[in-house]
Amino acid sequence: MIKAPRKRAAAPQGAAVPPRRRPRRRGRALPYLLLIPAAAVLGLVLGYPLVRVVVISFQDYGLRALFTGRITWAGWANYSTVLDDPQLVPVLLRTVGFCAALVAGTLLIGLAVALMMERLGRRMRTAVTLCLIAAWAMPNVASSLVWQWLFQPVYGVVNWLLTQTQLFGDLTQRDWSGSTLSAFLLVWLLVVWQSVPFVALTLYAGLSQIPRTYYEAAALDGAGPVTVFRVITLPFLRPILGLVTILSVIWDFNVFNQLWILTRGGPGVSTTTLPIWSFAKAFSSNSFGQGAAIAVLSVLLLLGATALYVRRLVRSGEDL
């Protein structure tokens, strides 16, 4: 005899019906499933080239290997050759010093622009924002070529304008890439001009989130602008400043296009940094293994510096 299925007893009126439990595994796995496409793209665009560079750094990869396809393993020979090279220390010090100058200039000017935008009217702030976005969106190769034309000897616009002011004499024949200091100044101006928009807009976004009540209380207490900035503005902006500092160090440490287009590492090797040195080793000396080894060492230096800085922020209680 077949028994009819039992019906569930109806819940009494007014009693809360317990919700059905959804499977937790699906909810926990959903964020990771959504990240798979982005992770796959990053793996193809960034992961494969990085792995390929690491592999080449352990190979004797030159013109013969490029044309014949016969590649021999060199082990740690490329790294030992790079570490024993007398150019390593000067190039490394030059890279760190130039990166520090770029980061300091970008942060100071970007912070000043962000503070200025906070005090501008709506229309002027919109105009400044559009100008910053336009400068930021311009490709660095195109802007480097325009910069090269602006500072060109004989017919450069900047040389002509400076000559018209009569403050520095006749600068018509001035070659800004002819000396180490002026060449670095030329590249510094370009890189800072390209980097300030991101820093300024990011810091302005942070300034807009500071409650106005803090400034009103400081005004009632009679605090000056310097005290307000030191006690209120700077503590609120410190996490954002840490973030843009890390990003600026990574970007400015790897500056290549601007230096190569404007100076090509010259005069001589006075503006040669680690990216320029890696490129020269790989394509001028036809030693792709040593060039890849320099690139890997640069990545390790950046990873170490970033890890130390993030660890310092975490220890001090800052949350990025």
Side-chain angles (χ1 to χ4, degrees):
M1 184 175 181
I2 301 174
K3 295 182 179 181
R6 295 181 179 179
K7 296 183 180 180
R8 294 184 179 180
Q13 292 183 353
V17 179
R20 295 182 179 179
R21 294 182 179 180
R22 297 181 179 179
R24 295 183 178 179
R25 294 181 179 178
R26 182 180 300 177
R28 292 179 179 178
L30 182 60
Y32 299 99
L33 293 176
L34 295 176
L35 288 175
I36 288 178
V41 173
L42 288 177
L44 291 175
V45 176
L46 298 178
Y48 174 75
L50 183 60
V51 172
R52 183 62 177 160
V53 167
V54 173
V55 172
I56 292 176
S57 67
F58 289 99
Q59 296 175 342
D60 185 11
Y61 203 99
L63 284 179
R64 184 180 62 181
L66 188 64
F67 286 107
T68 62
R70 299 177 181 177
I71 303 173
T72 58
W73 290 92
W76 297 94
N78 292 323
Y79 289 94
S80 61
T81 302
V82 170
L83 293 176
D84 293 338
D85 198 310
Q87 295 185 18
L88 175 63
V89 175
V91 169
L92 182 60
L93 294 177
R94 193 181 301 123
T95 305
V96 173
F98 189 47
C99 177
L102 289 173
V103 173
T106 302
L107 292 180
L108 290 176
I109 299 176
L111 181 59
V113 173
L115 293 173
M116 179 195 69
M117 290 176 62
E118 190 184 24
R119 289 161 175 78
L120 291 177
R122 184 176 180 180
R123 294 182 178 179
M124 284 299 300
R125 184 165 58 246
T126 303
V128 172
T129 302
L130 292 176
C131 292
L132 291 174
I133 293 175
W136 187 29
M138 190 172 183
N140 55 24
V141 174
S143 58
S144 300
L145 293 175
V146 173
W147 210 259
Q148 188 180 42
W149 172 75
L150 289 175
F151 288 88
Q152 194 70 242
V154 182
Y155 57 86
V157 176
V158 174
N159 290 0
W160 179 81
L161 288 175
L162 292 175
T163 302
Q164 295 301 314
T165 60
Q166 298 297 324
L167 295 176
F168 306 99
D170 187 6
L171 295 179
T172 307
Q173 304 292 333
R174 173 69 177 178
D175 184 8
W176 294 89
S177 60
S179 64
T180 303
L181 184 60
S182 62
F184 270 126
L185 178 62
L186 181 65
V187 180
W188 184 89
L189 290 172
L190 174 59
V191 176
V192 169
W193 174 75
Q194 294 173 333
S195 305
V196 160
F198 172 78
V199 175
L201 294 175
T202 305
L203 293 178
Y204 172 71
L207 288 172
S208 63
Q209 300 302 314
I210 301 177
R212 298 295 98 185
T213 53
Y214 288 94
Y215 293 107
E216 294 173 0
L220 292 176
D221 292 338
V226 178
T227 304
V228 171
F229 177 79
R230 181 176 55 85
V231 176
I232 299 176
T233 305
L234 192 58
F236 273 97
L237 289 182
R238 189 171 290 126
I240 303 177
L241 282 171
L243 178 62
V244 296
T245 299
I246 294 175
L247 293 176
S248 297
V249 168
I250 294 174
W251 293 336
D252 295 336
F253 194 87
N254 293 315
V255 168
F256 174 79
N257 291 333
Q258 297 89 331
L259 271 170
W260 184 254
I261 292 175
L262 295 176
T263 68
R264 294 189 179 273
V269 293
S270 58
T271 60
T272 299
T273 58
L274 281 176
I276 299 292
W277 193 35
S278 174
F279 182 83
K281 280 287 186 180
F283 296 97
S284 297
S285 302
N286 296 321
S287 180
F288 299 99
Q290 294 183 22
I294 297 172
V296 172
L297 292 176
S298 301
V299 172
L300 293 178
L301 286 174
L302 281 177
L303 287 177
T306 304
L308 290 176
Y309 194 81
V310 172
R311 185 179 180 184
R312 181 181 177 183
L313 287 179
V314 173
R315 282 189 173 184
S316 63
E318 297 292 343
D319 186 12
L320 290 176

